[in-house]
Amino acid sequence: MATYKKIPALPFPKNKILNSLIAAICALSAPIAFAQQDTSKELERIEVTAQKRVQSINDVPASISAFEGSRLDELGLNELDMISDLTPGLVIQEQSPNNPGFVIRGITSDSGSAQASPRVSVYYNGVDVSRSRGSYFELFDIERVEVVKGPQATLFGTAASVGAISVITRKPEADFSAEISAGAGNESQKRMGGYINGGSDLVSGRLAFSYRKRDGVIENIAPDQDDMNGVDRQALRGSLRFQPSDAVTADLIYSYEKNEDTGTSFKNGVFAPTGGDTSPYSFVEMTGSPYSASVLGREKLGLDRTVDDINLTVDWVISPRLSFTSVSGYRSFDSLEVFDADGTQAWFLEFGEDAEGDQFSQEFRFNYAGDKMLTLWGVNYFTEDGSQRVPFSTEESIFLNCAGALPGGLPCINADGSVNQLTPVLTGGAIEEIPYAGEFTNFGDNESWSAFVDFTYQLTDRTEVAAGIRYVSEDRESGFSATMPNSQLLPLLGEPSQTLLPTVSTDGEVFTASNSSDAWLPRFNIIYKLNDHNNWFVTGSKGRRSEVVDVSSTFDANGEAAGDYGLIPAEVIWNYETGLKGNLTENRVRYSASVFYQDYSDFQVTLQDESGDFYTANAGSATNVGVETEINANLGSGFEVFGHLAYLDAKIDDESTNGDLAGNRFRLQPEWTSSLGAIYEKSISAQYALRGSVVGTYRSEVFFEPENAPIAGLDISQDSISLVNASLGLYNDAANWSLALKATNLLDKEYLVDAGNTGGSFGNPTFISGPPRLFYLEFTKKFGM
């Protein structure tokens, strides 16, 4: 671990001017009226490991937000998407645990294709778990969450082309301790969680668990189906720590998660359910396929997802100056989600997604602390293979009619809610129905190794400079197969025989293609210590999203079957950033403020073809300019406030070479985000105290599709929205128990999580609503503390 000299403060007059300037910046970042301060109370120091060593958050020359596990528990933040409420530059969208979207500074990483690479690195105990369908996990028994913005490839690998989210779980301790919590709330919410910890200085263990279940919040009137957007999630984590000496620590962690949520409510914006309307917030009539069990894999709409994760981290302090770390990780996921992509009672677009994958990674790294130089170097190996199978089911006459492919066809769904199944009419009564089923699958097999080195040099008493680089070599192989029969109905109508979806059947054959590439990814930092408590930093870094070996099966320009292969160039980003961060008024105010500019070439966008399959395309150049601020202040007398304000202008460059998307804003990218929260504690007796919190968040308008345009005349966006979460609890710290009431979306606002979706490719855009007001009462008891 490096030690540095204490940096002398600037002379008082300059220091006074500097503090006034920083205070003004903080005032802009959150409109807080400061009360009289309790000079005995300081904010808790936050230490992070974003640079692979323990540092104060103020000493990291990058925009980073960090949350201690105790703060997450206090605010009731037990889902990844809730972290984005408090983090400037971060949006996490959760359609379901199978389909999360991670957005840092307007750039989305949500592709489920096994052929595409992530942009946002999600780290779990030091291991990259960024593959979209395997990256979601419950937040419980957490030590800390760190969100680092800007390219972090040097430290976190190529998946961190726009940033990284690092989650560190609590490790075992020698002394006995335990905790159990149980809660219940509206919508039949049931919650349980806790841990048990104990052992010796040599070997200690910890077992933690989490269980959450909630009914669907959107009523589904279809027979034999559950209400939509329900939650059913269980997670278990076992940790073992072995310390044979003061110099060696080994942590072995096994994590298991099972998600069985009910189906996602894709509400059709064109056709209403029987007796209903097209509002995304009212009841639905989503049926699934009559052949759901045999074709799509399960009878009911919903999710069946399992994740297993094993992690071994070994830290060895070789000498007072040199340390070694080995991080080994294996992760596998198996996720089947069945969804009604048209969101109606019609047997029209019934899809499933059967995604599975496994990965292994191994990293060795060394840290050396000289008198003025810190050196980090190491190597990393990573391999993964996965697949995304998409089964499809429909009735042919319904499909052709609802897709508008029948001249003079009747409405897909009549005003009374009845569905026009036209097979008997079109076949003169010879055939009652023509079921159709097919599937297509994409495969990805990726292998990479990299070497990295990073130097931090104390140039003067006040100035540190740093430079690092990662070399990465990748081998990628993609595959595609499809079993898609020709239509039986089209030839009866005098039309050419072809598949219903514009996907050619490969009859079980897998088309494959491969590519090898390498890259150098540097970063440069300067941090200047203005005084003992405030720093100014400048950083420049390069990020890269790997080439996409795009293999698919489509019709060629002449309408003939053709295996298609394309190489989408690597997306490259340069990030330039400067900012201030530090503490004021004897560490009772912590703040950060930064300005950044990002320049993209060969920007990759996720689009959807006419078969409902998502694919990656090159949208050309793009730029991104923004400002991010954060503040946290202790106002004394048990009162703490915190907040952020961020502005972002991110879009595809408005140039003719960028095609139809030129000038468009990125999807899921609000121009403005902000939050303002407060935590208050009041003793009511020698034993009891009341603790409460309130957090308000704001996001400006977002587009849900990169086209930024209506579909079927319907707006595919979400207007600005403000939400409020709150909690209030009775605490007895002497007896180690608490009883707390916690609520999300306290004002019961209606808002959208997503829109367009697969149905939009067939002229039937669908809309997913956010959860309504949810509240629960939770009792917690601690032991051995």
Side-chain angles (χ1 to χ4, degrees), residues 444-455:
D445 188 353
N446 308 315
E447 184 178 39
S448 70
W449 71 269
S450 60
F452 55 93
V453 62
D454 194 79
F455 301 98

Side-chain angles (χ1 to χ4, degrees), residues 258-341:
K258 180 74 170 179
N259 309 130
E260 298 178 289
D261 292 15
T262 64
T264 301
S265 178
F266 293 96
K267 183 67 176 286
N268 193 290
V270 178
F271 298 106
T274 303
D277 55 39
T278 57
S279 167
Y281 315 107
S282 60
F283 68 84
V284 297
E285 191 174 5
M286 298 173 63
T287 58
S289 165
Y291 303 95
S292 289
S294 59
V295 175
L296 303 182
R298 52 179 286 150
E299 292 182 1
K300 291 186 176 182
L301 303 174
L303 175 65
D304 186 356
R305 175 179 179 266
T306 303
V307 179
D308 290 276
D309 187 283
I310 301 175
N311 177 286
L312 175 63
T313 300
V314 179
D315 289 305
W316 177 25
V317 180
I318 301 173
S319 73
R321 291 183 179 271
L322 180 64
S323 63
F324 167 77
T325 300
S326 168
V327 183
S328 310
Y330 171 80
R331 188 175 182 88
S332 68
F333 68 90
D334 190 344
S335 181
L336 173 63
E337 185 166 18
V338 174
F339 56 99
D340 184 352

Side-chain angles (χ1 to χ4, degrees), residues 251 256 282 350 489 534 545 598 637 662 684 700 767:
D251 286 302
Y256 169 84
S282 60
E350 314 308 324
L489 183 57
N534 301 285
R545 191 189 195 192
Q598 296 178 331
S637 302
I684 56 178
S700 61
F767 299 81

